Amino acid sequence: MHLTAEEEKIYEGEQGWAYQTAMKILVKLGDLFDAEKLIPIESAHVSGVSYKTLGDAPIEFLESLAETGAKAKVASTVNPSGLDYEGIMRSAVPETVKEKQEKIVELYKNMGLKPVLTCTPYYASKPKQGSHLAWAESSAVVYANSVLGSWTNREGGPSALASALIGKTPNHGLHKPENREPNVLVKVETDLKNEVWYGALGIFLGKNLMDKVPVIEGLRYPKEADLKQLSAALASSGMTSVFYPCSRCPKKAENLERLAVDGQILKKAFEDLSTCSEEPDMVFVGCPHCSLNEVRNVARLVQGRKVKENVMFWVCSSRHVKAKAARHIQTIEAAGGKVVSDICAVVTWLKELGVDTLMTNSAKTAFYAPTMNKVKVRLATLKQCVETACHK
Ligand code: F3S
């Protein structure tokens, strides 16, 4: 990979160990994928924040980087953590876990990354169309490429952090127009009735498309939340990182390889995501973290109702969205629900809260929670989630 004179100096260590290490990570990655150069990025978004998923090993590495005083060179944000600032999880985990989790967030902060602790950083600051990014949260990657029109590869935590420190990323994969060209036409032959069907479609396509780039025909007037569910699910079960939604097949996609998806296929995908039919201990909405509109919808549905005493009802969102949703939060919390930021059900310690069964409207959570959280899952629409969480 060709480096400029200045990049070369960083590579040789002239700006210190942390920048040198970051540059070496990017060069290694670039060489691996035949990138010819580094390109500037508008922002970086780093995953690997929850101590539950990260573990001990990387803490020392983060510490060594932060110790040098190295700072992010572009706007940079971080994914949800295992603990929330308001303390909903505090009594559930031991002191050492709290300390380690706080340390991880502190280290990112020291390196100039904004502790937004959300997987939907685009609600706080929407990247420009056509801008190059280095984002690591897979649901946000697919959403940024497919809905926001930005360009990012699916980075890992370390490469996104390296990009944050250097302000650049290797020019390969989805940073190149030729790799963003669709190469398969997906024909959806049934009405996608709600967000759960979009999620089921994403899980099915992720498993069947590998890393192909689909035009998805038959998405009639999808809502933003539907496309977000589709993005998150697609990223969970496969490697596809960009899709093109449309109601009718565009001319350029007419001759592509085809994949038809009918109601039966989606029904099976949906049913496979539920591992139980029991009453849930927790009802969780907000994977990916809710937009203002979604928080408003939940508030509308729970208005005047009461959450059952034996059910935890969580609505996860970012602090940024919460700051604009005071009235809706009041409604949800008056009903007995909790609007929670900084964490989500998947990256926190559910068993420690006494959760064995989880109900959610997120296909991504349904896909991961049985293995990552060792809980049984029921996938259902937001409406059904609220119906189950609340007294009649
Ligand atoms: Fe976000 Fe957690 Fe889902 S990080 S995408 S809410 S699994």
Side-chain angles (χ1 to χ4, degrees):
M1 192 167 69
H2 170 76
L3 297 183
T4 64
E6 199 188 331
E7 289 163 358
E8 198 72 58
K9 282 184 194 164
I10 299 173
Y11 188 88
E12 293 307 327
E14 275 194 24
Q15 293 188 14
W17 178 81
Y19 292 117
Q20 182 184 34
T21 304
M23 185 59 91
K24 284 193 168 170
I25 292 174
L26 297 184
V27 169
K28 196 102 209 129
L29 201 64
D31 285 343
L32 198 65
F33 290 103
D34 281 334
E36 76 286 5
K37 61 176 182 179
L38 295 173
I39 50 167
I41 51 165
E42 183 183 290
S43 67
H45 182 75
V46 174
S47 63
V49 181
S50 165
Y51 175 56
K52 174 174 174 259
T53 54
L54 197 65
D56 285 308
I59 298 180
E60 218 175 294
F61 174 64
L62 291 175
E63 236 166 356
S64 315
L65 288 175
E67 242 163 39
T68 66
K71 298 273 183 250
K73 292 216 173 82
V74 289
S76 302
T77 46
V78 299
N79 235 15
S81 109
L83 287 180
D84 61 308
Y85 276 48
E86 282 169 7
I88 201 167
M89 285 301 300
R90 286 195 169 264
S91 53
V93 293
E95 205 53 46
T96 49
V97 169
K98 273 183 245 170
E99 279 165 16
K100 287 190 176 163
Q101 181 60 80
E102 275 162 11
K103 180 160 209 173
I104 293 167
V105 174
E106 201 53 36
L107 291 170
Y108 283 125
K109 242 162 89 178
N110 292 346
M111 286 186 270
L113 284 84
K114 241 177 146 181
V116 293
L117 303 176
T118 183
C119 48
T120 54
Y122 41 83
Y123 291 141
S125 174
K126 193 165 150 182
K128 285 191 216 87
Q129 220 178 355
S131 58
H132 292 273
L133 318 171
W135 283 14
E137 162 54 42
S138 65
S139 65
V141 165
V142 181
Y143 186 89
N145 281 320
S146 316
V147 182
L148 303 176
S150 306
W151 294 27
T152 175
N153 283 320
R154 194 187 291 202
E155 301 293 343
S159 67
L161 178 59
S163 284
L165 294 176
I166 300 295
K168 294 177 181 176
T169 191
N171 190 26
H172 73 96
L174 293 180
H175 293 291
K176 296 187 144 189
E178 62 270 28
N179 297 328
R180 303 177 66 90
E181 285 294 316
N183 48 24
V184 57
L185 172 65
V186 172
K187 286 177 85 73
V188 179
E189 294 170 345
T190 184
D191 259 352
L192 300 177
K193 301 179 199 90
N194 49 54
E195 78 279 19
V196 172
W197 283 77
Y198 279 86
L201 173 66
I203 295 290
F204 172 77
L205 291 181
K207 285 181 183 166
N208 286 276
L209 291 180
M210 311 303 278
D211 61 351
K212 286 185 187 148
V213 177
V215 167
I216 308 180
E217 182 197 350
L219 305 187
R220 280 185 269 278
Y221 313 113
K223 296 194 208 70
E224 185 269 342
D226 297 330
L227 295 178
K228 190 170 66 168
Q229 286 302 324
L230 173 56
S231 301
L234 198 52
S236 305
S237 58
M239 285 313 293
T240 290
S241 291
V242 58
F243 67 89
Y244 298 94
C246 60
S247 56
R248 289 231 195 114
C249 178
K251 202 121 201 87
K252 69 172 184 180
E254 273 170 5
N255 296 323
L256 296 179
E257 172 196 342
R258 289 173 181 231
L259 175 67
V261 184
D262 60 21
Q264 280 309 317
I265 289 175
L266 287 189
K267 191 167 169 279
K268 170 138 185 12
F270 167 69
E271 284 168 359
D272 285 350
L273 286 164
S274 281
T275 55
C276 78
S277 53
E278 293 156 34
E279 285 297 301
D281 303 311
M282 174 183 272
V283 174
F284 164 56
V285 175
C287 169
H289 278 177
C290 285
S291 64
L292 180 59
N293 208 18
E294 289 171 290
V295 179
R296 186 185 297 123
N297 278 344
V298 178
R300 198 172 40 81
L301 289 168
V302 301
Q303 172 94 48
R305 306 191 64 174
K306 279 280 171 225
V307 172
K308 292 172 189 163
E309 294 68 25
N310 56 347
V311 175
M312 283 173 258
F313 180 49
W314 276 19
V315 180
C316 283
S317 184
S318 60
R319 276 183 255 164
H320 171 81
V321 167
K322 274 183 77 175
K324 296 186 191 162
R327 197 160 46 90
H328 311 308
I329 294 171
Q330 211 176 19
T331 307
I332 295 167
E333 302 207 331
K338 280 264 172 251
V339 183
V340 187
S341 56
D342 312 329
I343 60 174
C344 77
V346 176
V347 302
T348 198
W349 293 269
L350 283 189
K351 282 283 179 190
E352 283 72 358
L353 285 174
V355 177
D356 285 319
T357 51
L358 181 71
M359 187 175 196
T360 180
N361 68 339
S362 161
K364 174 173 178 173
T365 292
F367 186 79
Y368 281 124
T371 44
M372 284 185 66
N373 305 83
K374 308 271 181 283
V375 292
K376 290 176 267 178
V377 174
R378 260 172 86 183
L379 181 63
T381 63
L382 171 63
K383 243 178 154 172
Q384 290 163 329
C385 283
V386 171
E387 280 307 313
T388 304
C390 296
H391 286 290
K392 294 278 169 242

Short mmCIF file of all heavy atoms in Angstrom, two decimals, residues 221-250:
data_model
loop_
_atom_site.label_atom_id
_atom_site.label_comp_id
_atom_site.label_asym_id
_atom_site.label_seq_id
_atom_site.Cartn_x
_atom_site.Cartn_y
_atom_site.Cartn_z
N TYR A 221 -43.11 1.35 0.57
CA TYR A 221 -43.17 2.39 1.62
C TYR A 221 -42.66 1.91 2.98
O TYR A 221 -43.38 2.00 3.99
CB TYR A 221 -44.60 2.93 1.76
CG TYR A 221 -45.23 3.27 0.46
CD1 TYR A 221 -46.33 2.54 -0.02
CD2 TYR A 221 -44.72 4.31 -0.32
CE1 TYR A 221 -46.89 2.85 -1.24
CE2 TYR A 221 -45.28 4.60 -1.54
CZ TYR A 221 -46.37 3.87 -2.00
OH TYR A 221 -46.91 4.17 -3.21
N PRO A 222 -41.45 1.37 3.04
CA PRO A 222 -40.94 0.97 4.37
C PRO A 222 -40.71 2.19 5.24
O PRO A 222 -40.31 3.25 4.76
CB PRO A 222 -39.61 0.29 4.05
CG PRO A 222 -39.19 0.84 2.72
CD PRO A 222 -40.45 1.19 1.97
N LYS A 223 -40.96 2.03 6.54
CA LYS A 223 -40.66 3.11 7.48
C LYS A 223 -39.17 3.05 7.81
O LYS A 223 -38.54 2.02 7.62
CB LYS A 223 -41.46 2.93 8.77
CG LYS A 223 -42.96 3.03 8.58
CD LYS A 223 -43.59 3.19 9.96
CE LYS A 223 -44.98 2.65 10.04
NZ LYS A 223 -45.15 1.21 9.97
N GLU A 224 -38.68 4.14 8.35
CA GLU A 224 -37.25 4.19 8.73
C GLU A 224 -36.93 3.06 9.71
O GLU A 224 -35.91 2.38 9.59
CB GLU A 224 -36.98 5.57 9.36
CG GLU A 224 -35.53 5.84 9.70
CD GLU A 224 -35.14 5.43 11.12
OE1 GLU A 224 -36.04 5.26 11.98
OE2 GLU A 224 -33.96 5.26 11.37
N ALA A 225 -37.84 2.82 10.65
CA ALA A 225 -37.60 1.77 11.65
C ALA A 225 -37.57 0.39 11.00
O ALA A 225 -36.86 -0.51 11.46
CB ALA A 225 -38.68 1.83 12.73
N ASP A 226 -38.35 0.20 9.94
CA ASP A 226 -38.35 -1.09 9.23
C ASP A 226 -36.99 -1.34 8.59
O ASP A 226 -36.43 -2.44 8.68
CB ASP A 226 -39.42 -1.11 8.14
CG ASP A 226 -40.83 -0.97 8.70
OD1 ASP A 226 -41.04 -1.41 9.84
OD2 ASP A 226 -41.70 -0.43 7.99
N LEU A 227 -36.46 -0.30 7.94
CA LEU A 227 -35.15 -0.45 7.27
C LEU A 227 -34.04 -0.66 8.29
O LEU A 227 -33.05 -1.34 8.04
CB LEU A 227 -34.87 0.77 6.39
CG LEU A 227 -35.83 0.93 5.20
CD1 LEU A 227 -35.51 2.19 4.41
CD2 LEU A 227 -35.80 -0.29 4.28
N LYS A 228 -34.23 -0.05 9.46
CA LYS A 228 -33.23 -0.24 10.53
C LYS A 228 -33.27 -1.70 11.02
O LYS A 228 -32.22 -2.30 11.24
CB LYS A 228 -33.54 0.73 11.68
CG LYS A 228 -32.45 0.77 12.72
CD LYS A 228 -32.66 1.90 13.72
CE LYS A 228 -33.90 1.71 14.56
NZ LYS A 228 -33.96 2.63 15.71
N GLN A 229 -34.47 -2.26 11.15
CA GLN A 229 -34.57 -3.67 11.55
C GLN A 229 -33.97 -4.58 10.48
O GLN A 229 -33.27 -5.54 10.79
CB GLN A 229 -36.04 -4.06 11.79
CG GLN A 229 -36.62 -3.50 13.08
CD GLN A 229 -35.85 -3.93 14.33
OE1 GLN A 229 -35.35 -5.05 14.40
NE2 GLN A 229 -35.75 -3.05 15.30
N LEU A 230 -34.25 -4.27 9.23
CA LEU A 230 -33.71 -5.07 8.12
C LEU A 230 -32.18 -5.00 8.13
O LEU A 230 -31.49 -6.02 8.01
CB LEU A 230 -34.28 -4.53 6.79
CG LEU A 230 -33.74 -5.10 5.49
CD1 LEU A 230 -33.88 -6.62 5.44
CD2 LEU A 230 -34.49 -4.50 4.29
N SER A 231 -31.64 -3.80 8.32
CA SER A 231 -30.17 -3.61 8.34
C SER A 231 -29.54 -4.43 9.47
O SER A 231 -28.55 -5.14 9.26
CB SER A 231 -29.82 -2.13 8.58
OG SER A 231 -30.36 -1.32 7.57
N ALA A 232 -30.12 -4.33 10.66
CA ALA A 232 -29.53 -5.00 11.83
C ALA A 232 -29.58 -6.52 11.66
O ALA A 232 -28.62 -7.23 11.96
CB ALA A 232 -30.28 -4.59 13.09
N ALA A 233 -30.71 -7.01 11.13
CA ALA A 233 -30.86 -8.46 10.98
C ALA A 233 -29.94 -9.00 9.90
O ALA A 233 -29.29 -10.03 10.06
CB ALA A 233 -32.32 -8.79 10.66
N LEU A 234 -29.87 -8.29 8.79
CA LEU A 234 -29.00 -8.68 7.67
C LEU A 234 -27.55 -8.81 8.15
O LEU A 234 -26.84 -9.76 7.81
CB LEU A 234 -29.11 -7.59 6.61
CG LEU A 234 -28.68 -7.83 5.17
CD1 LEU A 234 -29.32 -9.09 4.60
CD2 LEU A 234 -29.07 -6.62 4.32
N ALA A 235 -27.14 -7.86 8.98
CA ALA A 235 -25.76 -7.87 9.48
C ALA A 235 -25.52 -8.99 10.49
O ALA A 235 -24.41 -9.45 10.65
CB ALA A 235 -25.46 -6.52 10.14
N SER A 236 -26.59 -9.44 11.15
CA SER A 236 -26.42 -10.47 12.19
C SER A 236 -26.13 -11.84 11.62
O SER A 236 -25.30 -12.57 12.14
CB SER A 236 -27.70 -10.59 13.04
OG SER A 236 -28.05 -9.35 13.55
N SER A 237 -26.84 -12.19 10.53
CA SER A 237 -26.74 -13.57 10.06
C SER A 237 -25.84 -13.72 8.84
O SER A 237 -25.65 -14.83 8.35
CB SER A 237 -28.14 -14.11 9.73
OG SER A 237 -28.74 -13.28 8.76
N GLY A 238 -25.29 -12.62 8.31
CA GLY A 238 -24.45 -12.75 7.12
C GLY A 238 -23.46 -11.61 6.98
O GLY A 238 -23.26 -10.83 7.91
N MET A 239 -22.85 -11.52 5.82
CA MET A 239 -21.79 -10.53 5.61
C MET A 239 -22.20 -9.40 4.66
O MET A 239 -21.39 -8.55 4.32
CB MET A 239 -20.54 -11.23 5.05
CG MET A 239 -19.78 -12.03 6.11
SD MET A 239 -19.51 -11.14 7.66
CE MET A 239 -18.39 -9.86 7.10
N THR A 240 -23.45 -9.43 4.19
CA THR A 240 -23.91 -8.34 3.32
C THR A 240 -23.88 -7.02 4.09
O THR A 240 -24.40 -6.95 5.20
CB THR A 240 -25.34 -8.64 2.82
OG1 THR A 240 -25.25 -9.73 1.91
CG2 THR A 240 -25.96 -7.44 2.12
N SER A 241 -23.28 -6.00 3.50
CA SER A 241 -23.15 -4.73 4.23
C SER A 241 -23.80 -3.55 3.52
O SER A 241 -23.71 -2.42 3.99
CB SER A 241 -21.67 -4.42 4.48
OG SER A 241 -21.16 -5.35 5.40
N VAL A 242 -24.42 -3.82 2.37
CA VAL A 242 -25.19 -2.76 1.71
C VAL A 242 -26.32 -3.41 0.91
O VAL A 242 -26.16 -4.49 0.37
CB VAL A 242 -24.28 -1.90 0.78
CG1 VAL A 242 -23.59 -2.71 -0.29
CG2 VAL A 242 -25.07 -0.74 0.14
N PHE A 243 -27.48 -2.75 0.91
CA PHE A 243 -28.59 -3.22 0.07
C PHE A 243 -29.29 -2.00 -0.52
O PHE A 243 -29.12 -0.87 -0.03
CB PHE A 243 -29.57 -4.09 0.87
CG PHE A 243 -30.33 -3.35 1.94
CD1 PHE A 243 -31.55 -2.72 1.70
CD2 PHE A 243 -29.83 -3.28 3.24
CE1 PHE A 243 -32.24 -2.05 2.71
CE2 PHE A 243 -30.51 -2.62 4.26
CZ PHE A 243 -31.72 -2.01 3.98
N TYR A 244 -30.03 -2.26 -1.58
CA TYR A 244 -30.75 -1.16 -2.25
C TYR A 244 -32.24 -1.48 -2.21
O TYR A 244 -32.70 -2.37 -2.94
CB TYR A 244 -30.25 -1.01 -3.69
CG TYR A 244 -28.78 -0.64 -3.75
CD1 TYR A 244 -27.80 -1.62 -3.89
CD2 TYR A 244 -28.37 0.68 -3.59
CE1 TYR A 244 -26.46 -1.30 -3.89
CE2 TYR A 244 -27.02 1.02 -3.59
CZ TYR A 244 -26.07 0.02 -3.73
OH TYR A 244 -24.73 0.34 -3.72
N PRO A 245 -32.99 -0.78 -1.36
CA PRO A 245 -34.42 -1.06 -1.27
C PRO A 245 -35.18 -0.36 -2.41
O PRO A 245 -34.83 0.75 -2.78
CB PRO A 245 -34.81 -0.45 0.07
CG PRO A 245 -33.81 0.64 0.31
CD PRO A 245 -32.56 0.28 -0.43
N CYS A 246 -36.18 -1.02 -2.98
CA CYS A 246 -37.00 -0.33 -3.99
C CYS A 246 -38.36 -1.01 -4.07
O CYS A 246 -38.51 -2.17 -3.64
CB CYS A 246 -36.31 -0.35 -5.34
SG CYS A 246 -36.01 -2.00 -5.96
N SER A 247 -39.34 -0.29 -4.56
CA SER A 247 -40.65 -0.92 -4.70
C SER A 247 -40.71 -1.67 -6.02
O SER A 247 -41.29 -2.74 -6.12
CB SER A 247 -41.76 0.13 -4.59
OG SER A 247 -41.54 1.13 -5.54
N ARG A 248 -40.09 -1.11 -7.06
CA ARG A 248 -40.06 -1.80 -8.37
C ARG A 248 -38.63 -2.00 -8.84
O ARG A 248 -37.77 -1.16 -8.57
CB ARG A 248 -40.76 -0.92 -9.41
CG ARG A 248 -42.23 -0.84 -9.23
CD ARG A 248 -42.91 -1.16 -10.55
NE ARG A 248 -44.29 -0.73 -10.46
CZ ARG A 248 -44.79 0.25 -11.18
NH1 ARG A 248 -44.05 0.88 -12.06
NH2 ARG A 248 -46.05 0.59 -11.03
N CYS A 249 -38.42 -3.06 -9.57
CA CYS A 249 -37.07 -3.39 -10.02
C CYS A 249 -36.51 -2.32 -10.97
O CYS A 249 -37.11 -2.03 -11.99
CB CYS A 249 -37.10 -4.73 -10.73
SG CYS A 249 -35.50 -5.20 -11.37
N PRO A 250 -35.36 -1.74 -10.63
CA PRO A 250 -34.77 -0.77 -11.56
C PRO A 250 -34.20 -1.50 -12.79
O PRO A 250 -33.84 -2.68 -12.70
CB PRO A 250 -33.64 -0.14 -10.74
CG PRO A 250 -33.35 -1.10 -9.66
CD PRO A 250 -34.56 -1.95 -9.44
#
